[in-house]
Amino acid sequence: TGAQISGVEIINIRNSGSSTVVFDASTTPGVTRVNADIGTGNLSVSNLTAGSTVGLKGDGAVTLGAYTFAYAAGVTAADVVIEDSVISGGHTLTLNGSGLTSATLTSRGAANTLASSSFFLPTTLASLTINAQSNLVTGAFLNMAVASSITINGAGVVDLGTLNTNVISLDASANSGGIKATLNSSPVLVVKGSSGNDTFTTGAVLGAGASIDAGAGAGALDRLIVSGSTFLTPATAPYYKGFEQLQLN
């Protein structure tokens, strides 16, 4: 039990069973990181304190279970690390916390893959930073606050899937690996591409204030995929900048 654990900062939980493992972080004061460690079973962690990190650890072979990490009331920032070839398959990752307004997601070790439409974020979350130390496929981020932003840094390639509807700013100017995303339906979306090779698919008829700038891509391979005839017109074309390749679908 928690009362019997002291002097421990990191807890790794591996659930390979059919029942959900429930862990209350408040029972182990001093723990700063809780990892879901290569387990196929489900895990629910609650009452994470400020400064705590939650992690997903993979091995490139095991498809992980469904995980829920909940921060305690009053905590405003979350820290999530996925590492060593995480494969989430069709399962979900849910990040909860009534006070969360920002989160950092770090990908490291071997390339990591989350399932499409599998990452549920709080509706209060206004800012997400992705530290791509390794390649990362996120799928779509669900929920997020209205008028939220995503910032991406690091040398890894990041595939965001379809950008969350509430995101109005995507800044990957500090990333050198390259970004792939289907843009959302916001007519005022502002995107700054990476210094790698980016691929963006149109998602809206852009209006005043919008900008989709691929940035200084390496090797002249920044690509704009136009998914509908109304998205690229003489009126909207000036909102797209820095692309060397144009693909019409």
Side-chain angles (χ1 to χ4, degrees):
T1 64
Q4 297 170 332
I5 299 175
S6 62
V8 175
E9 290 79 34
I10 299 174
I11 294 181
N12 296 321
I13 302 174
R14 180 175 296 181
N15 179 21
S16 299
S18 58
S19 299
T20 299
V21 169
V22 177
F23 176 70
D24 184 347
S26 67
T27 64
T28 54
V31 169
T32 58
R33 178 164 177 170
V34 179
N35 292 318
D37 185 17
I38 321 177
T40 56
N42 299 340
L43 172 65
S44 178
V45 179
S46 62
N47 290 316
L48 291 156
T49 57
S52 296
T53 298
V54 296
L56 278 67
K57 298 171 70 70
D59 65 355
V62 172
T63 298
L64 304 185
Y67 302 136
T68 298
F69 297 105
Y71 280 79
V75 178
T76 59
D79 187 28
V80 181
V81 176
I82 61 175
E83 58 187 331
D84 299 335
S85 195
V86 162
I87 303 173
S88 69
H91 295 136
T92 59
L93 172 62
T94 302
L95 186 64
N96 288 332
S98 59
L100 290 180
T101 58
S102 66
T104 299
L105 172 63
T106 298
S107 174
R108 68 188 187 191
N112 296 291
T113 302
L114 300 176
S116 177
S117 299
S118 68
F119 199 163
F120 290 84
L121 297 170
T123 56
T124 55
L125 199 78
S127 174
L128 174 65
T129 298
I130 298 175
N131 180 16
Q133 298 177 18
S134 64
N135 294 352
L136 173 65
V137 178
T138 68
F141 292 108
L142 303 183
N143 302 327
M144 300 191 71
V146 174
S148 55
S149 65
I150 296 177
T151 302
I152 304 175
N153 56 49
V157 179
V158 179
D159 185 340
L160 294 171
T162 300
L163 203 60
N164 184 282
T165 303
N166 288 335
V167 173
I168 62 170
S169 173
L170 171 61
D171 186 351
S173 57
N175 173 268
S176 60
I179 308 300
K180 181 179 180 180
T182 296
L183 303 180
N184 61 23
S185 57
S186 171
V188 294
L189 180 65
V190 175
V191 173
K192 296 179 181 178
S194 75
S195 59
N197 295 315
D198 301 323
T199 299
F200 295 122
T201 300
T202 57
V205 177
L206 298 179
S211 174
I212 312 298
D213 189 341
L221 295 176
D222 291 317
R223 176 178 297 186
L224 177 65
I225 300 175
V226 182
S227 59
S229 59
T230 61
F231 293 142
L232 188 62
T233 65
T236 64
Y239 299 124
Y240 297 96
K241 309 167 187 176
F243 292 93
E244 292 82 28
Q245 299 182 0
L246 180 65
Q247 177 179 327
L248 303 177
N249 282 4

